[in-house]
């Protein structure tokens, strides 16, 4: 499989290729374990969300890049006018380039998570009068070729992880209580190791830390190679399917689920948004977003 081919995305790639040729605007619903959605404007992907990976809001709030107060203030002013990104950067809460990198990284991460967990089918839904974009889209969007290349790159790493037995469902744990020397100075390594207690999956750790799923799984793979982490109960040999231990539940209480699924409110984002007064953001039609610069499409992949 060539990285630049739409086939790197499987069914998602075939659907996006067709939608790109049509100049489609709407939502591509993805069914799988657990699936997700891609928002498309004029054939370009502007956002992707899935319960399997943190979105931009979680990445900003859980990581501490943006405080709850700053988010609430920016949301109250910017979200109703579809200017949340402008409010965050304009207030000096986060730089414009850094915010763009977070949003682009979240988009890539969501698509990677959907492909990694398995895609069963895709269905395109044209934009309707009440449809609106996610709060922090990547504008003007990215083409399916670039998305396929980035997903293929990540899936090459995932194939090596599979041989290690690492998947989104394992619950890594140190073989012994980690010594300070094992924690090291690397912040993400320390953070992942401290939360790898045998009760959290890579997806759980990503949400807790406000880090991308790919970045967290990459760090876990390195620590498995170094014998700093074991895969814990439920792991299987390379190529096998992990089997939950008797009575084992995922982080959200679903025993034996194919992938830990988030229930509404799990991320606590709604609790933050509720501080704005509980008002619903007015509809933001996909087709209304037109005369925007195309620099975002030329930017390199976001940091992981």
């Amino acid at each position: 499989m060539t990285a630049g081919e739409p086939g790197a995305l499987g069914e998602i790639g075939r659907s996006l290729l067709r939608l790109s040729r049509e100049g489609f605007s709407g939502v591509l619903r993805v069914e799988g374990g657990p699936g997700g959605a891609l928002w498309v404007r004029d054939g370009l992907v502007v956002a992707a969300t899935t319960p399997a990976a943190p979105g931009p809001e979680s990445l900003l709030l859980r990581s501490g890049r943006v405080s709850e107060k700053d988010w609430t203030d920016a949301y109250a002013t910017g979200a109703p006018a579809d200017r949340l990104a402008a409010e965050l950067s304009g207030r000096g809460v986060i730089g414009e380039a850094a915010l763009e990198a977070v949003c682009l990284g979240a988009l890539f991460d969501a698509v990677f998570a959907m492909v990694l967990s398995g895609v069963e089918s895709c269905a395109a839904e044209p934009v309707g009068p009440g449809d609106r974009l996610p709060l922090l889209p990547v504008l003007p969007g990215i083409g399916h070729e670039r998305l396929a290349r980035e997903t293929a790159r990540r899936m090459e790493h995932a194939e090596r992880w599979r041989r290690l037995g690492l998947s989104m469902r394992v619950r890594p744990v140190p073989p012994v209580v980690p010594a300070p020397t094992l924690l090291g100075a690397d912040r993400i390594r320390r953070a992942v190791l401290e939360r790898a207690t045998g009760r959290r999956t890579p997806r759980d750790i990503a949400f807790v830390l406000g880090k991308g799923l790919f970045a967290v799984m990459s760090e876990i793979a390195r620590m498995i190679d170094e014998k700093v982490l074991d895969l814990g109960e439920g792991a299987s040999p390379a190529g096998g399917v992990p089997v939950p231990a008797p009575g084992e539940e995922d982080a959200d209480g679903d025993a034996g689920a194919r992938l830990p699924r988030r229930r509404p409110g799990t991320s606590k984002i709604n609790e933050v948004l509720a501080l704005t007064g509980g008002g619903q953001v007015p509809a933001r039609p996909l087709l209304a977003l037109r005369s925007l610069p195309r620099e975002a499409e030329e930017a390199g992949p976001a940091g992981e």
Side-chain angles (χ1 to χ4, degrees):
M1 180 185 300
T2 302
E5 294 178 353
L9 294 167
E11 184 61 30
I12 293 177
R14 287 187 286 274
S15 297
L16 287 179
L17 179 60
R18 174 176 56 84
L19 298 180
S20 175
R21 291 169 176 168
E22 296 173 358
F24 173 85
S25 290
V27 182
L28 181 65
R29 305 287 181 189
V30 178
E31 295 295 328
L38 289 82
W39 278 260
V40 182
R41 192 203 64 168
D42 296 336
L44 299 177
V45 179
V46 296
T49 60
T50 175
E57 299 95 325
S58 291
L59 295 178
L60 292 171
L61 288 166
R62 295 288 183 88
S63 66
R65 290 184 181 95
V66 175
S67 70
E68 291 189 1
K69 182 182 185 306
D70 286 337
W71 174 272
T72 299
D73 292 344
Y75 179 90
T77 303
D82 194 25
R83 288 180 47 81
L84 178 57
E87 280 294 323
L88 288 169
S89 58
R91 291 167 179 261
V93 174
I94 184 172
E96 185 176 345
L99 180 58
E100 181 180 292
V102 169
C103 295
L104 186 58
L107 192 163
F108 285 142
D109 211 43
V111 175
F112 163 71
M114 282 186 261
V115 174
L116 183 62
S117 58
V119 174
E120 297 171 4
S121 63
C122 297
E125 300 176 1
V127 62
D131 290 332
R132 54 191 178 91
L133 287 171
L135 288 171
L136 295 171
V138 175
L139 298 174
I142 61 173
H144 68 276
E145 299 95 341
R146 183 179 176 191
L147 189 57
R149 287 195 301 271
E150 179 60 22
T151 303
R153 182 185 74 84
R154 296 180 181 220
M155 290 302 293
E156 288 176 2
H157 289 274
E159 175 59 24
R160 187 182 72 83
W161 301 342
R162 186 189 67 81
R163 293 194 292 270
L164 291 174
L166 175 60
S167 72
M168 287 193 289
R169 291 186 54 197
V170 299
R171 302 175 190 273
V173 62
V176 295
V177 176
T181 53
L182 287 181
L183 293 175
D186 188 292
R187 292 180 62 184
I188 186 171
R189 179 188 180 92
R190 173 183 290 269
V192 170
L193 188 55
E194 287 177 342
R195 289 159 180 82
T197 61
R199 296 178 60 83
R200 295 187 178 101
T201 65
R203 175 263 191 189
D204 299 333
I205 295 173
F207 271 96
V208 168
L209 296 179
K211 299 289 186 184
L213 177 68
F214 179 78
V216 168
M217 293 187 73
S218 296
E219 191 58 46
I220 291 174
R222 281 192 287 270
M223 287 192 280
I224 291 172
D225 278 338
E226 297 169 13
K227 312 299 183 185
V228 176
L229 282 180
D230 286 340
L231 290 178
E233 293 185 9
S236 63
V241 178
V243 178
E248 181 185 28
E249 296 183 346
D250 65 24
D252 298 326
D254 295 330
R258 288 181 300 173
L259 180 75
R261 296 177 181 265
R262 294 172 59 205
R263 293 180 179 173
T266 300
S267 69
K268 305 301 182 186
I269 293 300
N270 289 336
E271 295 179 9
V272 176
L273 304 186
L275 297 176
T276 64
Q280 189 172 9
V281 180
R284 295 174 285 171
L286 288 164
L287 296 178
L289 301 172
R290 294 286 182 182
S291 57
L292 292 160
R294 302 190 66 85
E295 286 85 349
E297 187 174 0
E298 303 303 324
E304 293 150 355

